[in-house]
Amino acid sequence: IISEWIGTFLIHESMLDSVIFARDRWLARDGILLPDRATLYLAGLAAEQQAADLEDWKDFYGLNFSALSAAWKHVAAQQCASHDALLTSEAMLLDIDLYRISAAEQEFEVAWALEVLPHRRGQPMHALASWFTLGFFNASQQRCSGCSTANVTQLSTHPEKPCTHWAQTFFFLDEEMAATSCEGRTIVARDSTIPRDLRIRIAVTGRSELSFRIVGAEM
């Protein structure tokens, strides 16, 4: 089964559900799935220009749309990070083995810890950002005899890689903070009214919890 089910934040749009259904109903015992592995990450990011864009809402051709700016900050933004924007190490949010994942596991809560990069300590951090990797013939090698000779390959949407149409997903902090090592948790749930959309809650230890939506089109 070959499927391009990937969305923003890896699992937005709930398209993986169809692959899981097809896998459980039709995949042969020695059949393979491509991609067969997917991993979602989170890190701290400098996003000075993107954060500055929020200020433009206060004077847009003489009109003040700052009320919309406040709402926009709660919509996770699909954007490409600037070069050398990472301020911290990465934390894994979700690791998907396509042969084992269930639909229910796409809703989850995970604790994480980020280590500040030594040369970026104290620099302004404007957002947390997520990206993902896709593996091909990764999990499959233990499944079928012919897969052992296949080339294991990976597609990455890492901020330092050429930007793809998935870009990265930005979660802007309510206020910028000095880059430092930090801990927190992320809670991911499907929207109760639009299941293809996601509700994301992010809590950084010592700061107020932030809530975001990942929607089909940015506000």
Side-chain angles (χ1 to χ4, degrees):
I1 297 174
I2 300 175
S3 178
E4 195 283 90
W5 50 267
I6 304 95
T8 301
F9 195 69
L10 184 63
I11 56 173
H12 176 243
E13 297 181 321
S14 300
M15 295 185 291
L16 181 55
D17 290 13
S18 298
V19 179
I20 294 171
F21 177 85
R23 177 201 68 193
D24 293 345
R25 184 160 185 175
W26 292 299
L27 188 66
R29 183 179 297 275
D30 59 349
I32 61 173
L33 291 157
L34 293 175
D36 55 10
R37 196 67 175 264
T39 310
L40 182 65
Y41 297 95
L42 184 78
L45 202 73
E48 183 176 3
Q49 183 56 57
Q50 291 91 336
D53 289 343
L54 294 172
E55 299 301 314
D56 293 341
W57 295 79
K58 294 180 180 178
D59 185 6
F60 187 76
Y61 294 98
L63 300 175
N64 185 348
F65 288 100
S66 56
L68 294 179
S69 172
W72 185 86
K73 290 188 73 171
H74 291 283
V75 177
Q78 185 179 351
Q79 299 182 358
C80 293
S82 303
H83 177 69
D84 199 31
L86 284 178
L87 300 175
T88 73
S89 63
E90 63 198 41
M92 186 174 66
L93 297 182
L94 181 66
D95 188 21
I96 295 176
D97 179 339
L98 268 291
Y99 294 106
R100 300 178 182 276
I101 185 73
S102 67
E105 289 176 276
Q106 296 172 78
E107 296 186 281
F108 59 92
E109 178 175 353
V110 60
W112 43 260
L114 304 176
E115 295 293 328
V116 65
L117 301 179
H119 65 291
R120 308 304 297 272
R121 187 180 302 277
Q123 295 185 18
M125 185 165 78
H126 305 93
L128 297 171
S130 69
W131 68 91
F132 57 83
T133 60
L134 299 173
F136 298 81
F137 295 106
N138 185 310
S140 301
Q141 289 206 325
Q142 291 79 39
R143 184 176 176 87
C144 68
S145 57
C147 294
S148 61
T149 59
N151 290 326
V152 177
T153 58
Q154 184 182 86
L155 181 154
S156 176
T157 63
H158 189 283
E160 296 299 327
K161 296 287 187 180
C163 195
T164 69
H165 80 279
W166 292 291
Q168 290 86 42
T169 305
F170 284 50
F171 303 98
F172 284 98
L173 303 175
D174 50 355
E175 295 181 355
E176 71 175 54
M177 59 181 284
T180 186
S181 298
C182 57
E183 298 179 348
R185 73 181 191 281
T186 297
I187 302 171
V188 178
R190 292 181 175 179
D191 189 284
S192 58
T193 56
I194 310 175
R196 71 194 300 273
D197 291 345
L198 296 172
R199 296 273 185 177
I200 313 291
R201 291 158 54 198
I202 297 178
V204 179
T205 301
R207 298 175 66 93
S208 299
E209 183 177 277
L210 301 174
S211 60
F212 302 89
R213 289 184 65 191
I214 298 180
V215 298
E218 289 186 30
M219 292 177 62

